[in-house]
């Protein structure tokens, strides 16, 4: 409004100036009055166009000058313990619905010492408007739900073990006696077989992993059909146990089921398939989290090995106790999630997303619900139909096309405009390209955006002004596009195939400045947000 008032005043001044300066000529001669009128209109229209353009430039300049919350001069320090406590009222509610809290996290991240306390708010485990009493009740209920899922995991594991023992006994007796095993023998075998799934909780273990009798022998062969020499996650596909082509055999297809009920004819078989994949991925998980979790790094060998036995881990003798313990926790939480969300089950790459959460959050039931909150959006990365992945790659492609037509044309020539070369970045959310600490910083900013959207904060004009850039569900995709645009010259001048670009993207690890990346992503959101979404 202020810009148009300025334009109107400018037009009036220019018209008056034209009349005054050219009055002698405009008024002279026949028809001078009409000529003045026509001249004034011409001058006025020209002036209006010029001033409108100037106003547009001023407005655009002001919009472009909105400093990114992640720019070096603007970025604030991480949220501290003292600041975090100051955000709460006497009854434990976040002031102003959590607006200042989210703004603070967006601009600087979270101090490592309070991450375990703050993350449940970002990931929707606790409502931003909840009181301390509400959260205590919610936590108790969620703990019961997690323990119920774990009991189902144990029972399904027990059924799987017993079925294999019964089958082996039948085969043995049929061979030795020449007659089939009857129902009485089957019942006796079931009764006498140690149930590896029925376990005794360790009261001193905060994780929630329960421990089986170490004497119970796992009936699965230690000779895995999967190669353990392969780099973990070297090939990432889309969903279920099938989504591991190149690392796991294609015949491990899972029939996805939508809804709460799990069909009885798929329980044990599908769950056993997921378990085998989980255990392998857990053993091969990297150890970059250790320095950020000193308590878990100091776990005893006895506790670690008990945890490993409880979830059926194998071939872990070469690992340090802390890595064995971490792997056991990965399996426990991933098993529970596979039952919680059977449509997705488990797919390679999910362990990459869970590992940092377990490193920060010591209690398994809290870590599980944080993971559920994280997967609320990330689960689409693991759908069998790849709809979620295709949508995200399409958005990255649109961002690059809108921002840099020259680079996009080069990608078209290489038949790489679908941006498949950033597939891994999308699936595991930059986990392989960033250091552990950088990953957490990016995820925290991303989670803050998503929390703001869930709370409706980003929908108001006030929210947009105060937060400087509108929160977006797709901040990760703008960051991915920014990482590609940062290498535009290299891609255009040196690379002549999509494979070369993919190798460049996969070699970014340790070379990215997370805050520069977010700053560039901010600029893309400001200029393209309305066009892309």
């Amino acid at each position: 409004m202020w810009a148009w008032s300025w334009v109107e005043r400018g037009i009036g001044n220019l018209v008056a100036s034209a009349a005054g300066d050219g009055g002698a000529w405009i008024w002279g001669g026949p028809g001078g009055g009409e000529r003045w009128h026509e001249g004034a209109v011409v001058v006025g229209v020209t002036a209006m166009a010029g001033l409108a353009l100037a106003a547009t430039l001023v407005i655009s300049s002001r919009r472009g000058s909105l400093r990114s919350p992640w720019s070096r001069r603007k970025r604030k320090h991480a949220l501290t313990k003292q600041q975090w406590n100051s955000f709460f009222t006497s009854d434990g509610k976040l002031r102003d619905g959590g607006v200042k809290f989210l703004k603070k996290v967006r601009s600087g991240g979270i101090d490592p010492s309070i991450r375990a306390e703050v993350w449940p708010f970002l990931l929707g485990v606790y409502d931003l408007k909840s009181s301390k009493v509400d959260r205590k009740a919610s936590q108790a209920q969620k703990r019961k739900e997690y323990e119920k899922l774990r009991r189902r995991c144990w029972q399904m594991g027990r059924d799987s073990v017993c079925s294999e023992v019964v089958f082996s006994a039948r085969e043995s007796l049929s061979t030795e006696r020449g007659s089939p095993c009857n129902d009485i023998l089957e019942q006796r075998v079931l009764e006498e077989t140690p149930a590896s799934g029925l376990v005794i909780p360790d009261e001193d273990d905060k994780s929630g992993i329960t421990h089986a009798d170490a004497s119970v022998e796992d009936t699965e062969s230690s000779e895995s059909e999967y190669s353990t020499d392969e780099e973990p996650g070297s090939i990432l596909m889309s969903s279920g146990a099938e989504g591991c082509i190149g690392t796991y055999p294609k015949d491990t297809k899972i029939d996805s089921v939508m809804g709460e009920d799990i069909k009885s004819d798929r329980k044990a078989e599908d769950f056993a398939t997921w378990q085998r994949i989980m255990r392998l991925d857990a053993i091969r998980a990297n150890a970059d989290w250790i320095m950020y979790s000193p308590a878990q790094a100091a776990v005893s060998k006895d506790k670690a090995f008990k945890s490993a036995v409880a979830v059926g881990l194998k071939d872990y003798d070469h690992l340090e106790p802390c890595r064995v313990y971490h792997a056991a926790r990965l399996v426990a939480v991933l098993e529970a999630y596979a039952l919680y969300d059977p449509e997705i089950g488990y797919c390679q790459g999910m362990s990459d997303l869970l590992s940092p959460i377990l490193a920060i959050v010591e209690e398994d039931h809290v870590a599980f619900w944080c993971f559920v909150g994280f997967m609320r959006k990330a689960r689409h990365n693991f759908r069998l139909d790849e709809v979620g992945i295709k949508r995200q790659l399409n958005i990255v492609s649109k961002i690059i096309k809108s921002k840099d037509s020259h680079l996009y044309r080069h990608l078209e020539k290489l038949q790489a405009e679908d941006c498949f070369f950033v597939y891994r970045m999308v699936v595991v959310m930059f986990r392989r390209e960033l250091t552990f600490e950088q990953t957490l910083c990016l995820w925290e900013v991303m989670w803050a955006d998503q929390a703001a959207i869930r709370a409706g904060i980003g929908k108001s004009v006030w929210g947009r002004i105060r937060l400087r850039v509108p929160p977006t569900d797709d901040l990760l995709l703008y960051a991915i596009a920014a990482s590609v645009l940062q290498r535009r010259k290299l891609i255009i001048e040196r690379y002549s195939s999509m494979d070369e670009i993919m190798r460049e993207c996969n070699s970014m690890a340790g070379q990215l400045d997370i805050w520069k990346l977010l700053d560039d992503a901010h600029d893309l959101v400001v200029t393209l947000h309305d066009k892309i979404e």
Side-chain angles (χ1 to χ4, degrees):
M1 185 63 69
W2 63 268
W4 286 114
S5 299
W6 174 47
V7 170
E8 291 171 357
R9 289 198 300 272
I11 292 171
N13 292 337
L14 283 174
V15 171
S17 176
D21 293 343
W25 177 78
I26 293 175
W27 283 98
E34 287 116 6
R35 290 173 63 197
W36 177 88
H37 178 71
E38 293 170 2
V41 170
V42 171
V43 171
V45 171
T46 303
M48 180 179 290
L51 289 173
L53 175 61
T56 301
L57 292 174
V58 169
I59 293 171
S60 298
S61 175
R62 288 190 64 198
R63 185 184 184 189
S65 66
L66 285 176
R67 189 164 300 284
S68 162
W70 309 297
S71 66
R72 294 187 182 279
R73 284 188 292 172
K74 184 71 180 179
R75 187 167 66 87
K76 300 177 182 178
H77 297 293
L79 174 67
T80 64
K81 176 72 172 177
Q82 183 178 4
Q83 291 171 325
W84 170 239
N85 291 336
S86 71
F87 286 143
F88 289 92
T89 61
S90 58
D91 60 350
K93 288 187 176 181
L94 280 169
R95 302 180 191 278
D96 64 21
V99 174
K100 291 181 181 178
F101 154 58
L102 294 177
K103 182 180 177 183
K104 178 64 180 177
V105 173
R106 290 182 90 234
S107 64
I110 303 169
D111 186 270
S113 65
I114 58 171
R115 277 176 168 150
E117 190 177 341
V118 177
W119 281 9
F121 289 85
L122 291 179
L123 290 166
V125 179
Y126 303 139
D127 190 282
L128 293 178
K129 297 181 180 179
S130 64
S131 66
K132 187 175 182 179
V133 173
D134 295 333
R135 292 192 293 275
K136 186 175 181 180
S138 174
Q139 188 176 43
Q141 179 60 33
K142 288 183 180 297
R143 181 167 195 149
K144 288 181 181 179
E145 291 177 26
Y146 175 72
E147 289 172 350
K148 182 178 180 181
L149 286 168
R150 286 301 307 153
R151 284 194 294 271
R152 288 176 61 194
C153 292
W154 304 331
Q155 184 61 48
M156 293 178 73
R158 176 183 185 276
D159 292 344
S160 176
V161 170
C162 290
S163 296
E164 291 184 18
V165 172
V166 169
F167 179 79
S168 298
R170 279 175 169 171
E171 290 295 305
S172 175
L173 289 173
S174 295
T175 301
E176 294 177 6
R177 301 180 183 178
S179 61
C181 178
N182 57 33
D183 292 341
I184 296 176
L185 174 61
E186 179 175 327
Q187 181 62 33
R188 182 167 59 83
V189 173
L190 283 171
E191 290 173 351
E192 295 178 358
T193 301
S196 65
L198 300 179
V199 292
I200 303 172
D202 184 345
E203 296 181 358
D204 297 328
D205 188 352
K206 293 175 67 177
S207 73
I209 297 178
T210 48
H211 308 305
D213 185 345
S215 65
V216 175
E217 183 174 341
D218 196 324
T219 60
E220 291 185 38
S221 171
S222 61
E223 294 296 325
S224 173
E225 59 186 319
Y226 310 131
S227 169
T228 56
D229 295 329
E230 186 115 27
E231 174 70 15
S234 58
I235 299 177
L236 293 172
M237 295 305 289
S238 62
S239 176
E242 182 188 56
C244 308
I245 300 171
T247 302
Y248 307 121
K250 291 177 67 175
D251 60 359
T252 55
K253 182 174 181 180
I254 299 300
D255 294 325
S256 298
V257 176
M258 190 68 172
E260 296 180 0
D261 296 330
I262 304 176
K263 294 181 179 178
S264 59
D265 61 349
R266 66 180 287 273
K267 282 184 180 180
E269 181 180 352
D270 293 354
F271 188 71
T273 301
W274 289 330
Q275 278 182 318
R276 288 194 295 271
I277 302 171
M278 289 173 195
R279 291 167 183 170
L280 286 170
D281 286 349
I283 288 295
R284 300 182 300 180
N286 64 44
D288 60 353
W289 59 269
I290 293 177
M291 65 179 293
Y292 298 92
S293 184
Q296 294 183 60
V299 68
S300 68
K301 183 176 180 179
D302 181 61
K303 181 177 181 179
F305 280 30
K306 280 185 178 179
S307 299
V309 170
V311 295
L313 282 181
K314 289 188 172 189
D315 302 325
Y316 52 79
D317 293 340
H318 63 291
L319 297 177
E320 303 92 334
C322 63
R323 293 188 64 183
V324 175
Y325 182 66
H326 188 73
R329 295 187 67 206
L330 278 171
V331 173
V333 175
L334 289 171
E335 283 181 346
Y337 186 82
L339 295 184
Y340 176 83
D341 187 359
E343 182 193 14
I344 300 300
Y346 176 74
C347 178
Q348 187 182 26
M350 289 168 62
S351 59
D352 289 82
L353 303 185
L354 174 59
S355 181
I357 294 177
L358 291 181
I360 300 301
V361 182
E362 293 188 11
E363 294 182 291
D364 274 15
H365 72 282
V366 179
F368 170 78
W369 289 110
C370 283
F371 186 61
V372 168
F374 194 3
M375 288 293 289
R376 188 178 292 115
K377 182 172 176 63
R379 70 185 296 277
H380 300 294
N381 293 354
F382 305 99
R383 288 175 57 96
L384 187 62
D385 57 16
E386 294 192 317
V387 169
I389 288 293
K390 290 175 181 176
R391 171 196 166 270
Q392 293 177 84
L393 293 178
N394 185 49
I395 290 177
V396 174
S397 178
K398 285 181 178 180
I399 294 171
I400 294 174
K401 182 179 181 179
S402 300
K403 182 64 176 180
D404 193 329
S405 58
H406 186 194
L407 173 59
Y408 186 79
R409 285 194 299 271
H410 181 69
L411 295 178
E412 284 183 314
K413 290 178 183 177
L414 305 183
Q415 296 184 328
E417 71 275 12
D418 60 0
C419 292
F420 188 80
F421 51 86
V422 299
Y423 185 96
R424 189 178 78 175
M425 294 183 190
V426 173
V427 174
V428 294
M429 301 187 170
F430 263 125
R431 180 66 187 93
R432 304 285 177 83
E433 287 71 33
L434 299 173
T435 66
F436 185 85
E437 179 61 27
Q438 286 177 327
T439 299
L440 300 192
C441 288
L442 173 63
W443 287 2
E444 285 166 353
V445 172
M446 182 176 72
W447 294 340
D449 262 17
Q450 293 168 1
I453 290 172
R454 286 197 305 272
I457 294 172
K459 294 181 180 180
S460 66
V461 175
W462 180 87
R464 291 191 175 216
I465 293 173
R466 294 298 300 272
L467 294 175
R468 300 216 170 251
V469 59
T472 171
D473 260 332
D474 295 319
L475 179 62
L476 173 78
L477 305 182
Y478 285 94
I480 290 173
S483 71
V484 175
L485 290 165
Q486 287 176 357
R487 285 158 174 74
R488 66 175 304 279
K489 184 176 180 181
L490 187 66
I491 293 172
I492 292 172
E493 294 180 356
R494 293 184 54 184
Y495 297 145
S496 57
S497 71
M498 187 176 74
D499 288 342
E500 290 179 326
I501 301 175
M502 185 177 292
R503 280 195 293 270
E504 173 64 27
C505 290
N506 290 347
S507 66
M508 288 182 184
Q511 301 180 32
L512 292 169
D513 180 335
I514 183 60
W515 298 111
K516 175 66 168 63
L517 190 65
L518 283 169
D519 197 24
D520 289 351
H522 166 273
D523 291 339
L524 292 174
V525 174
V526 168
T527 56
L528 301 176
H529 182 265
D530 295 333
K531 298 177 183 178
I532 300 299
E533 299 186 1

